[in-house]
């Protein structure tokens, strides 16, 4: 049996207990929470270090019905970010090995898939269970990939969700957190030209492109109306896409 067929069968049995259902046409399982939050899990092929075997990684992520188009490319690309960065930084190695670069052959594929799904349920699912509202999602983006919240005036990524959730953060905490990751805990003691220049780059990206760009939308009635219209357009398109994936959108969104 193939990786995809074993994954689909195993997930259909195990993940349905947590509200996940298979997306038609994809080796991917998703669930919708509070009519707004979309969460998913899927395998992504990796190159195995063992020539006689194949490998995959379990990836997962979160979007909303207001995010840019919910499709396979978005799931795969963001899912890779989710596992490679978030969990590489936060989880013990023994946990990570249950989800990353899992090697298998014909004889071991079922065992490896079983282990990976158990890993997802014990490691990732508790994290996903905390993200149930739009405000939770904004906080998730701030921790995960803050660039998704940049350029609200250009309506890029998930930035206009800041307006919908009436967000007024100054993003200083996020700026300081990123600086610490670049310079270490004592980054404030770095005064050389390169450090100052690098700090300015992060400041521009986080403060100017996120908080100040969002505030321009608040201040401009025309931009604000465009942002609200864009959110509704995305929602309509994403509902159609979810319906194509097999979700009962009428039951969910009416």
């Amino acid at each position: 049996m193939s990786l995809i067929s074993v994954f689909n069968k195993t997930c259909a049995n195990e993940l349905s207990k947590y509200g996940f259902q298979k997306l038609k046409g994809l080796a991917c399982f998703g669930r919708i929470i509070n009519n707004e939050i979309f969460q998913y899990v899927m395998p992504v092929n990796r190159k195995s270090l063992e020539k006689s075997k194949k490998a995959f990684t379990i990836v997962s992520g979160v979007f909303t019905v207001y995010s840019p188009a919910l499709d396979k490319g978005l799931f795969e690309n963001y899912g890779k970010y989710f596992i490679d960065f978030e969990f590489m930084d936060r989880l013990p190695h023994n946990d990570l090995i249950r989800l990353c670069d899992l090697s298998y052959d014909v004889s071991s594929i079922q065992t490896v898939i079983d282990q990976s799904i158990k890993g997802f349920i014990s490691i990732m699912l508790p994290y996903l269970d905390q993200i149930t509202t739009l405000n939770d999602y904004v906080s998730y983006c701030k921790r995960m990939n803050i660039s998704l919240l940049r350029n609200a005036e250009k309506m890029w990524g998930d930035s206009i969700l800041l307006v919908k959730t009436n967000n007024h953060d100054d993003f200083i905490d996020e700026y300081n957190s990123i600086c610490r990751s670049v310079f270490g805990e004592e980054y404030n003691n770095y005064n050389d030209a390169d450090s100052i220049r690098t700090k300015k780059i992060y400041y521009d990206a986080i403060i100017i492109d996120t908080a100040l760009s969002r505030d321009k939308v608040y201040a401009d009635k025309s931009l604000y109306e465009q942002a609200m219209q864009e959110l509704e357009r995305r929602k309509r398109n994403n509902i159609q896409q979810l319906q194509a994936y097999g979700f009962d959108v009428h039951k969910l969104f009416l």
Side-chain angles (χ1 to χ4, degrees):
M1 297 179 71
S2 69
L3 168 70
I4 299 305
S5 60
V6 176
F7 179 83
N8 286 343
K9 180 179 179 181
T10 303
C11 284
N13 293 330
E14 295 298 324
L15 296 188
S16 61
K17 303 171 187 176
Y18 304 95
F20 287 87
Q21 59 179 289
K22 187 180 181 301
L23 276 64
K24 291 180 180 178
L26 298 178
C28 181
F29 284 73
R31 67 179 182 179
I32 300 172
I33 299 174
N34 293 332
N35 290 347
E36 293 181 317
I37 305 298
F38 179 82
Q39 304 177 348
Y40 71 96
V41 56
M42 66 190 299
V44 172
N45 288 321
R46 295 288 181 102
K47 185 176 181 179
S48 176
L49 297 177
E50 302 176 68
K51 292 184 179 180
S52 62
K53 294 186 177 182
K54 297 180 180 180
F56 69 98
T57 290
I58 292 292
V59 300
S60 181
V62 185
F63 291 100
T64 79
V65 295
Y66 303 106
S67 296
L70 296 174
D71 57 26
K72 180 181 179 182
L74 195 67
F75 302 156
E76 288 183 346
N77 291 332
Y78 199 53
K80 289 177 183 177
Y81 187 97
F82 189 84
I83 187 68
D84 285 346
F85 292 86
E86 175 73 358
F87 286 94
M88 285 293 184
D89 288 341
R90 298 192 180 197
L91 294 179
H93 177 73
N94 288 341
D95 283 339
L96 285 171
I97 204 167
R98 294 157 64 187
L99 298 169
C100 300
D101 297 333
L102 299 161
S103 295
Y104 68 94
D105 56 24
V106 174
S107 64
S108 66
I109 185 170
Q110 182 65 62
T111 299
V112 175
I113 289 288
D114 287 344
Q115 292 173 344
S116 71
I117 298 307
K118 288 179 181 178
F120 168 78
I121 291 171
S122 64
I123 298 169
M124 287 186 178
L125 194 57
Y127 186 89
L128 298 181
D129 284 341
Q130 300 174 43
I131 307 167
T132 61
T133 69
L134 293 181
N135 282 319
D136 293 339
Y137 180 74
V138 169
S139 296
Y140 164 82
C141 289
K142 287 163 66 176
R143 293 192 304 269
M144 262 301 273
N145 188 355
I146 200 167
S147 65
L148 288 173
L149 301 178
R150 292 172 58 181
N151 293 325
E153 62 189 300
K154 296 180 181 178
M155 303 182 194
W156 189 85
D158 287 308
S159 59
I160 47 180
L161 270 184
L162 295 174
V163 180
K164 183 172 180 62
T165 56
N166 196 30
N167 178 283
H168 292 276
D169 293 350
D170 58 16
F171 289 90
I172 294 296
D173 289 343
E174 287 69 36
Y175 164 65
N176 288 334
S177 175
I178 290 178
C179 283
R180 280 193 294 272
S181 71
V182 174
F183 300 107
E185 291 297 328
E186 302 300 324
Y187 73 94
N188 278 319
N189 294 328
Y190 285 74
N191 294 312
D192 62 90
D194 286 342
S195 295
I196 292 171
R197 183 165 54 251
T198 303
K199 286 171 70 174
K200 186 179 185 304
I201 290 172
Y202 280 105
Y203 181 88
D204 289 347
I206 296 174
I207 306 301
I208 295 176
D209 289 349
T210 305
L212 297 186
S213 180
R214 172 207 60 203
D215 290 345
K216 288 181 181 179
V217 179
Y218 283 136
D220 187 319
K221 183 178 179 180
S222 177
L223 267 180
Y224 183 88
E225 290 178 352
Q226 289 177 43
M228 295 301 102
Q229 291 170 6
E230 174 62 13
L231 286 170
E232 289 305 311
R233 184 195 69 80
R234 291 181 183 184
K235 182 178 179 180
R236 288 194 301 271
N237 290 345
N238 284 330
I239 287 175
Q240 291 177 358
Q241 183 65 72
L242 289 169
Q243 187 175 34
Y245 283 145
F247 286 88
D248 185 353
V249 297
H250 297 290
K251 180 179 179 180
L252 286 167
F253 295 98
L254 292 181

